[in-house]
Amino acid sequence: MAAPTELSGWFPAIAIGVTFLKCLLMNTYHSTDFEVHRNWLAITHSLPVSQWYFEDTSEWTVDYPPFFAWFEYCLSHVAKYFDKDMLVVQNLNYASPATILFQRLSVIFVDVVFFYAARECCKTVADNKVKEILTKPSFVLGVLLVWNFGLLIVDHIHFQYNGFLFGILLLSIARHCQNRHLEGALLFAVLLNLKHIFLYIAPAYGIFLLRSFCFKSNNSDGSIQWRSFSVARLAALGTIVLSVFALSFGPFIAMGQLPQVLSRLFPFKRGLCHAYWAPNIWALYNVIDKALSILGVKLKVLDVDKLPKASMTGGLVQEFQHSVLPSVSPLATLVCTLVSIMPALLHLWLRPRGAKAFVRCVAICALGSFMFGWHVHEKAILMAILPLSLLAVESKEDARIFLVLSTTGHYSLFPLLFTLQELPIKVLLMVLFTLFSFTSLKTLFSKEGCLLSSAEALYLAGLLPVEVLCEWVYPLTAWQSTMPFLPLLLTSGYCALGVTYSFITLYLSLLMHQGPKHKDKSQ
């Protein structure tokens, strides 16, 4: 494990450095998510709790769990000292300089949680005996987390609070790696009540805690020793989780508003894909459907006037139908998601191999939900990239998967920043992070040969012509008016190939991994 004294030297430096960069990004473009969170500040500050999940003056209604609403409520009491007008519900699309300053600073401030979590994760990594800091796995991991390209552009340009949320996730993972399982469970329960997208990785948590915490020991062959089951440990876990959920949802249950809250959290009338197609299996499905519809119209097999008019990419509540292929229902995506993660969960149950196997299962569950989930946000790829960072510094195979997934997944976020002013910023930050990832991981595993195969390197190199076509060639063509969807389709489709490949290879690494068998762990 990395010594805390070693971390105290370089970790504050990388944290302070990235904080200065975030301050420089304050005046960049911000998305509609900026108005979403401003509106939530106004709702939670100006209205009683009983109206939080009913208020709909703006289309950006509160659709996160109660703990996040209370988080916004706390922020609002600081926001009033910057500009009280931002807390008026009727002030739609309000973005005064003071409002922008406050919201940008709020994201930077709560990133302290992420810094602490990243530092704790670095402590779980086994450092080598080399004194050169650039070759220490803990240092490489610290930079991969703190300077993560995706978090930088999504939170500090596009605008969200992902660093705060992923900080709680990473801290929970770190606590499990440190055998502090009750703390890890508490943190994850809190996280679920801040943002429910993390439900997708809840099965990995449930199986791991039941198998490796509630059962105190295994047989000599690694199978379950049923007599070692601890009712006390299960009761402790249950008490923690139920207490957190009772604290979060209890007031709304008491007011008889639970159905209303749940309807906001799970709006299944939204489209299969978000406003920009996340690079997953449904993006490939949409690409095929789009290609078939265009071909059908060209061959006069399909009547363009009879094709569905509803957009497949609406970010607001709406339903749609595919043009040629069968439309996909929320139930179908749920089944596909469960099927995709079941082998990983079964493997974690039958062959528990410690906390790092749990981290691998978390990454697989995150990728499985990203690949097959309903209305997946493109930013959800970070839920797999960040945990995988912990594995990448300790295994060449994981480093290979990380390089493919992080490069592809991060590039897939480019369409979020579509303004010309941000083009050089996103390109420069992406290049710098990618160069560090490749060079640092190559140095860590220099004695084990090449990290990437020729085919993998060729695929990643293909991102360059995709970028040139989308950003430079396409705007000069007539396709802008005839095929406005083309850049998103090309970016999403090409990146979906890399994400799918990473999902498959990560799965194979789990099923074939032969690590040390899980031993007795105690809190």
Side-chain angles (χ1 to χ4, degrees), residues 4-5 21 27 45 118 128 141 143 185 330 341-342 357 376 384-385 408 420-421 455 477-478 481 509:
T5 54
L21 175 61
N27 290 321
H45 184 84
N128 50 36
L141 176 60
V143 177
I341 66 175
M342 199 60 67
V376 173
I385 292 175
T408 306
L420 186 60
Q421 302 94 299
T477 66
S481 57
S509 75

Side-chain angles (χ1 to χ4, degrees), residues 136-274:
K136 288 185 177 295
S138 60
F139 174 78
V140 175
L141 176 60
V143 177
L144 291 180
L145 293 176
V146 173
W147 283 80
N148 179 270
F149 166 76
L151 282 180
L152 278 175
I153 68 166
V154 171
D155 280 9
H156 302 280
I157 300 180
H158 183 79
F159 192 85
Q160 278 191 345
Y161 291 92
N162 290 289
F164 168 65
L165 297 170
F166 280 116
I168 297 176
L169 172 63
L170 291 179
L171 186 56
S172 172
I173 290 174
R175 291 297 181 247
H176 287 304
C177 291
Q178 296 162 350
N179 297 325
R180 296 160 65 174
H181 298 299
L182 292 179
E183 291 180 45
L186 172 63
L187 287 164
F188 187 68
V190 170
L191 181 62
L192 289 178
N193 285 277
L194 283 166
K195 191 169 184 179
H196 51 304
I197 191 175
F198 294 99
L199 278 171
Y200 281 125
I201 59 176
Y205 269 82
I207 294 296
F208 173 71
L209 287 169
L210 183 62
R211 181 66 175 86
S212 299
F213 178 67
C214 293
F215 285 95
K216 295 190 286 186
S217 60
N218 301 319
N219 294 317
S220 57
D221 61 355
S223 60
I224 299 176
Q225 190 176 102
W226 293 99
R227 289 178 297 178
S228 71
F229 180 77
S230 172
V231 175
R233 290 188 175 189
L234 179 63
L237 279 176
T239 300
I240 288 173
V241 173
L242 291 177
S243 298
V244 171
F245 275 83
L247 184 62
S248 175
F249 286 91
F252 299 95
I253 294 175
M255 292 184 290
Q257 294 183 2
L258 183 61
Q260 173 64 18
V261 175
L262 294 179
S263 70
R264 286 285 183 86
L265 299 185
F266 303 100
F268 286 114
K269 288 186 177 181
R270 291 182 177 181
L272 174 64
C273 297
H274 193 239

Side-chain angles (χ1 to χ4, degrees), residues 28-29 157 415-424 426 471:
T28 55
Y29 150 85
I157 300 180
L416 291 176
L417 308 182
F418 52 84
T419 57
L420 186 60
Q421 302 94 299
E422 278 65 48
L423 177 59
K426 67 181 181 183
E471 297 284 0

Side-chain angles (χ1 to χ4, degrees), residues 476-523:
L476 302 177
T477 66
W479 292 340
Q480 270 194 305
S481 57
T482 59
M483 291 189 286
F485 58 84
L486 190 58
L488 292 183
L489 182 146
L490 181 59
T491 300
S492 184
Y494 191 83
C495 291
L497 297 175
V499 175
T500 303
Y501 174 80
S502 300
F503 178 62
I504 294 172
T505 52
L506 184 60
Y507 233 123
L508 292 176
S509 75
L510 171 76
L511 299 179
M512 298 189 302
H513 182 66
Q514 298 295 326
K517 291 181 180 179
H518 178 62
K519 297 180 181 179
D520 179 23
K521 303 289 183 184
S522 60
Q523 179 68 17

